[in-house]
Amino acid sequence: MTNIIDGKLAAQQIREQLSAKVDAFVDVNGITPNLTVILVGDNPASQVYVRNKIRQTQQVGMISNEIKLADNVSQTEILAHIARLNADHNVHGILVQLPLPKHIDEHAILEAIEPHKDVDGFHALNSGKLFSGLPGGLVPCTPQGCVILAKKALGDNLSGKHAVVLGRSNIVGKPVAMLLLQQNCTVTIAHSRTENIAQVVRGADIVIAAVGIANFVKGDWIKPGATVIDVGINRIFDEQQDKYTLVGDVDFAEVVKVAGAITPVPGGVGPMTIACLLENTFLAATHSL
Ligand code: NAD
């Protein structure tokens, strides 16, 4: 029987534990961790993500505020908001929801966030710490979630496992590869220019799929018994159901027959991303003492 890894349950467990830690932190220090989210424009998917982040932050006893900015806001104005939040001792985590409109330099925005408040972990200082194995940095949320879910299937010791990461983005592919390397996995990063990608994936004990292409990974790419973590969130029209649905980067119907463990979409990595964001916010608050 293939293990369908329950990301919702794992995320709920993290939130429950965090809630208790937040209560104790507030009692002892009289400080409530605060996450402030900047949302630019009216991208419907981003609105849903931000709503969920804010709701869940509040559910674990932390404060969450939203700054909504119009689609045509200037880069200078966003930077002014970030500068104000950087200087505000009551704000512990700052998150700028991506993607940003085309006229905004995403890189400049992310680099403007004070690294100790960079709860997405995208600032160069935080990625530098992750890549150098230095402690004290904030680690990107989705990659953290992937590793936690892989451990749910394989146990805490991932040492020696061959992990193939599909995708090399700064947000998912590269940081998850670094986290797996820290776990002593043998890591291969495959991407859009990789030759014989199916063959590369066939060697994997752990597959992390983060390419953004619906149903990309096929059943005959998977080594029997492998653990498959599907990061993809793709909205496609389902002819049979006559409506739009969310699917991952993994062809679930095929891969579930071969894998030893697999995350579903939705209900796999997605909930873990937010749970890890809450953890990062709490961590940022503890570092602020
Ligand atoms: P991205 O577009 O920045 O990167 C995609 C990567 O896939 C690139 O590195 C590219 O080299 C690789 N790629 C593209 N075509 C390929 C091909 N034919 N073969 C092999 N590799 C190929 O995307 P991203 O931000 O890393 O996100 C990837 C997916 O994960 C998307 O579906 C996104 O929606 C999803 N995502 C989910 C969460 C979550 O919380 N579950 C978080 C972030 C991203």
Side-chain angles (χ1 to χ4, degrees), residues 31-37 57 62-65 85 88 90-94 119 281 285:
I31 296 168
T32 307
N34 174 313
L35 169 68
T36 298
V37 182
T57 305
M62 301 194 288
I63 296 170
S64 190
N65 299 316
L85 296 171
D88 185 342
N90 294 316
V91 173
H92 307 99
I94 304 169
V119 283
T281 302

Side-chain angles (χ1 to χ4, degrees), residues 207-278:
V207 180
I208 312 279
V211 290
I213 302 174
N215 301 320
F216 181 70
V217 178
K218 299 298 175 191
D220 63 358
W221 297 20
I222 301 296
K223 177 159 90 177
T227 295
V228 179
I229 308 294
D230 190 352
V231 181
I233 302 177
N234 309 288
R235 192 166 171 267
I236 61 159
F237 191 75
D238 185 325
E239 303 280 348
Q240 283 172 347
Q241 297 187 49
D242 195 31
K243 61 172 189 179
Y244 281 94
T245 52
L246 290 184
V247 299
D249 290 349
V250 174
D251 189 328
F252 187 89
E254 283 189 13
V255 172
V256 74
K257 294 179 192 152
V258 192
I262 183 169
T263 59
V265 176
V269 174
M272 291 299 287
T273 295
I274 302 189
C276 293
L277 170 70
L278 306 182

Side-chain angles (χ1 to χ4, degrees), residues 5-22 55-57 59-61 145 148-149 152 267-279:
I5 307 166
D6 190 340
K8 265 192 190 169
L9 180 65
Q12 186 191 324
Q13 288 165 348
I14 290 175
R15 287 196 304 272
E16 281 169 9
Q17 287 166 10
L18 185 58
S19 190
K21 285 193 285 184
V22 170
R55 184 172 43 84
Q56 292 188 30
T57 305
Q59 279 170 354
V60 297
I148 294 170
L149 293 181
K152 291 270 172 209
V269 174
M272 291 299 287
T273 295
I274 302 189
C276 293
L277 170 70
L278 306 182
E279 283 279 8

